[in-house]
Amino acid sequence: IWFLSWWTFSYMYSYAFFPLYQIRSMQMPILWVQMTIVALLVGLALGAPVFGIIADTYGSRCVMQFSLYAKHLSLLPYFLIPNDPRWYWLFPALLWFDGIFNAATTIAVQHSMFTYSPAKQRTMYIAVAQCIALGVAGCISPTLAGIFVEYYEVSGFPVPFTDLNLNAYHAVFITSLILRLGCFPLSSSMPSTGN
């Protein structure tokens, strides 16, 4: 529950703002934004069976730790792809992998919950974990990030002790990356079994 709550908080801090960044900051056409979302979903569908087999064979911890490292890389397109229509195709091409990494994370968490929750109360345990992680942590973090973006979207965020002025969305993405670092020690204590 601790891992799932921290992961959801750190992930949801930025997740809701990816399409907004593309539409409002990059002024990307809606077609490319939708193609990016579809590419994520296709990656999720293709990655789930593969990581399910890996989790069953080698345990969920290795899948989780792989996905945590990979999910840090999945934010790079939002920092590195220039605001140029010639490069918009890179978003769906690269974020297809993000969907695969999302599948790995979901499979690893679900595998641990199914394996270690008591059989008679499994549904209740999983429901409570999801309620705490998604219902509480997953609602608080985008609200906080939304307040931040609302305040700094026009002016940008002045980085303390420097002359830099960050795009508000980039500041949210960096904060999310920093928050995600807390997931690494939590994932090493996750129970893990394989065949």
Side-chain angles (χ1 to χ4, degrees):
I1 291 174
W2 278 110
F3 172 83
L4 186 58
S5 297
W6 187 265
W7 170 252
T8 304
F9 184 90
S10 62
Y11 180 65
M12 292 299 289
Y13 194 84
S14 62
Y15 182 72
F17 299 95
F18 296 149
L20 280 176
Y21 168 71
Q22 290 173 303
I23 294 168
R24 291 172 73 163
S25 186
M26 295 186 78
Q27 297 182 343
M28 184 182 288
I30 298 295
L31 174 65
W32 285 108
V33 177
Q34 294 292 38
M35 287 176 65
T36 302
I37 293 168
V38 168
L40 282 165
L41 296 174
V42 170
L44 184 68
L46 295 176
V50 173
F51 284 106
I53 292 168
I54 294 170
D56 281 339
T57 306
Y58 300 105
S60 55
R61 189 183 305 123
C62 68
V63 171
M64 176 58 66
Q65 290 175 335
F66 167 77
S67 99
L68 289 177
Y69 287 108
K71 288 292 288 175
H72 274 75
L73 298 175
S74 69
L75 274 176
L76 291 179
Y78 290 96
F79 293 105
L80 301 178
I81 296 176
N83 191 0
D84 183 339
R86 292 177 300 170
W87 298 102
Y88 288 166
W89 63 271
L90 279 172
F91 276 96
L94 294 174
L95 291 171
W96 177 78
F97 291 103
D98 190 46
I100 292 173
F101 306 145
N102 286 344
T105 307
T106 303
I107 291 291
V109 168
Q110 297 297 330
H111 185 268
S112 293
M113 286 197 292
F114 274 104
T115 303
Y116 292 99
S117 56
K120 290 185 178 180
Q121 291 93 17
R122 183 168 289 142
T123 305
M124 180 197 64
Y125 273 79
I126 292 172
V128 169
Q130 295 292 341
C131 178
I132 292 169
L134 297 172
V136 178
C139 288
I140 292 172
S141 64
T143 302
L144 295 174
I147 292 168
F148 179 87
V149 167
E150 184 81 21
Y151 190 78
Y152 289 108
E153 186 173 23
V154 175
S155 65
F157 176 70
V159 179
F161 311 112
T162 68
D163 294 333
L164 295 173
N165 202 31
L166 273 180
N167 177 307
Y169 296 100
H170 286 166
V172 165
F173 300 156
I174 289 169
T175 304
S176 177
L177 280 174
I178 292 168
L179 288 169
R180 292 177 192 197
L181 293 175
C183 295
F184 288 103
L186 291 172
S187 71
S188 63
S189 63
M190 274 181 66
S192 180
T193 58
N195 292 333

